[in-house]
Amino acid sequence: MAPGTPPPVLAAGALTWRERSDGLQVLLVHRPRYDDWSIPKGKLDKGETFPAAAVREVAEETGYRVRLHRPLPAAVYLLPDGRTKIVQFWTATVRSKTGPGPVDPTEIDTTSWVGLDEAEELLTRQSDVVALTALRRFLDSEELVTVPIIIQRHGAARSRSKWKKGEKSRPLNSKGRKQAKALPDLIDAFDPGRVLSSPWKRCRDTVEPFTRLEGLKIATKDELSEAGHRDHPSRTTAMIERVLGEARGTVVCTHRPVLPTVISCVREAATRGTAFELPRQNPYLAAGEALMLHTTPAGTVVALERHLPNLG
């Protein structure tokens, strides 16, 4: 940003959908202050990531805990005070009912499931209509239903040159431990139900806070370690191809030297436009960074996004 430019206002939301016998419905909220209908959304809290904020805001405004799926077009516009507002949107489905409805009735007084045509008539803000139009496009192309496959690079680790006890036991450093602690809310927003990891300590310690939160077990795979990949790269390729083909919500935690093989497999499974967005050069992902792959039941990667844990 140019010097003196006020920081943008960051917000996130989700267009939650469900299937009914007469077609798809989406969840909208009514804002009494503006007397309009909107997609649930709100500002990020300090230290919060966009995905975690989207899930929290939907819960506060509707009483539904949701899981995020593929991203929708972001909204960028100017506020009356001259600041820029950036709103990141996702498609979402209901994970559970957490409350009776809006937490603050002065902000949101009504929620409603409506059909797509009615939603288009009700929505006031053009950016919300753009998000709805994208959801329609995903539905028409049979790419609306997706599952998350999250390629997670382990957090920042102790220096190789300073660790004399072997690579298998080299641990996270203080930044890496903070990254691991910050990851659960980010990963949980997408609700993956399986965690595969290199058996080496820095990978296991990166995903352990998330598995502890969700009551999951870490399945360690030698193919995801640096040595396993170096000795048998074809086995790594076969494993990643299997994970993509199964199209099951999964976290895959591995190391930087393994990422070229992983991303090569993803490129083969991705649509042309999505493949173009994949990282193209070393280090591919920063330490602690997650590559979210949105995959159809047929195993095609139709969208992706990249996230770092917010250390606040």
Side-chain angles (χ1 to χ4, degrees), residues 53-223:
V55 172
R56 177 184 55 76
E57 284 291 338
V58 173
E60 291 177 358
E61 295 190 357
T62 71
Y64 289 102
R65 183 186 182 198
V66 299
R67 63 177 61 83
L68 302 183
H69 296 275
R70 61 186 300 178
L72 291 163
V76 182
Y77 52 92
L78 285 177
L79 297 172
D81 63 5
R83 291 181 298 168
T84 299
K85 186 169 185 178
I86 302 171
V87 187
Q88 299 284 350
F89 288 113
W90 283 265
T91 62
T93 54
V94 172
R95 192 169 170 179
S96 63
K97 191 81 166 79
T98 60
V103 171
D104 183 357
T106 65
E107 181 181 351
I108 303 295
D109 61 357
T110 307
T111 66
S112 184
W113 289 98
V114 299
L116 300 185
D117 290 341
E118 184 179 356
E120 190 167 355
E121 293 177 2
L122 287 174
L123 288 170
T124 304
R125 185 172 288 279
Q126 182 59 31
S127 57
D128 286 0
V129 176
V130 169
L132 178 67
T133 300
L135 183 145
R136 281 184 183 270
R137 186 170 67 251
F138 301 154
L139 177 65
D140 291 343
S141 61
E142 299 183 351
E143 295 180 353
L144 178 58
V145 177
T146 60
V147 296
I149 296 174
I150 302 171
I151 308 302
Q152 179 70 56
R153 182 180 166 190
H154 67 71
R158 294 276 296 272
S159 168
R160 289 178 189 267
S161 62
K162 295 180 180 179
W163 184 257
K164 307 302 182 182
K165 299 180 182 180
E167 279 298 294
K168 292 182 179 180
S169 64
R170 184 157 64 93
L172 300 174
N173 61 21
S174 59
K175 179 181 178 180
R177 291 192 296 273
K178 290 177 182 177
Q179 289 175 322
K181 186 177 179 180
L183 275 174
D185 285 347
L186 170 61
I187 297 175
D188 182 62
F190 298 91
D191 191 26
R194 176 174 64 167
V195 178
L196 309 179
S197 173
S198 160
W200 292 9
K201 181 174 174 57
R202 53 192 181 275
C203 276
R204 289 185 288 104
D205 287 355
T206 296
V207 293
E208 191 274 336
F210 169 71
T211 57
R212 186 172 65 247
L213 173 71
E214 293 299 316
L216 299 173
K217 292 184 178 180
I218 301 172
T220 57
K221 302 292 182 180
D222 288 336
E223 300 96 315

